[in-house]
Amino acid sequence: LPGLWTRARSIEGIAGAAGIGLGAAVVFLLVDVTILQNIGTYSHRWLAIGGGSNWWYHPVWWMVGTFIPWMGAWLLANRTARSGQPSAPAAYGVAIACTIIVAIIAVVVGVPGAGWNLATFGLGFLLGVALATVLSALGSRRG
């Protein structure tokens, strides 16, 4: 959505999409720390892993919250350069296909912690969307 909102066709739109993602991550973290953790919405396993501190996983949220919209905007910009029309379903269809391939390879090869579960798919999506972005750039005309 941030890539569609900023009409990502150039570097300004792509950077704007990443900025929207960063802003959304900051808002989520504020809501998480001030409300969700205090009302017991979920277990405090993240606090326990981090030794009682939220600050170890906040940078991870900031990075992921910026990376996904950034790659999505690149996908849309590349698709627009190729076909003249942005298509989010087509772009993310390729990203999900790449994610499934990455997850299967991780499980078959025996990457530590990889299994037939949502966590493997979630982490595989980070690599899958990056691969889809690289694939979308192949053969695109840049003006």
Side-chain angles (χ1 to χ4, degrees):
L1 285 177
L4 292 173
W5 294 337
T6 61
R7 302 181 60 81
R9 309 278 188 288
S10 65
I11 200 69
E12 289 85 11
I14 294 166
I20 290 171
L22 178 61
V26 168
V27 168
F28 169 75
L29 288 171
L30 289 172
V31 170
D32 178 48
V33 171
T34 58
I35 298 170
L36 297 177
Q37 288 182 10
N38 292 324
I39 63 173
T41 308
Y42 53 85
S43 71
H44 290 291
R45 111 184 57 178
W46 295 113
L47 288 174
I49 292 171
S53 172
N54 284 317
W55 293 106
W56 75 271
Y57 76 92
H58 286 185
V60 174
W61 275 109
W62 297 336
M63 287 183 279
V64 170
T66 305
F67 181 77
I68 297 294
W70 180 48
M71 288 290 111
W74 270 113
L75 273 167
L76 290 174
N78 290 338
R79 295 218 33 103
T80 303
R82 178 175 293 172
S83 66
Q85 186 84 316
S87 175
Y92 273 91
V94 174
I96 298 225
C98 288
T99 299
I100 291 169
I101 292 168
V102 165
I104 289 171
I105 290 171
V107 171
V108 170
V109 170
V111 172
W116 303 106
N117 54 36
L118 186 60
T120 300
F121 182 80
L123 288 174
F125 185 73
L126 295 173
L127 187 54
V129 75
L131 286 173
T133 303
V134 169
L135 291 174
S136 74
L138 298 176
S140 308
R141 293 174 293 152
R142 291 283 170 196

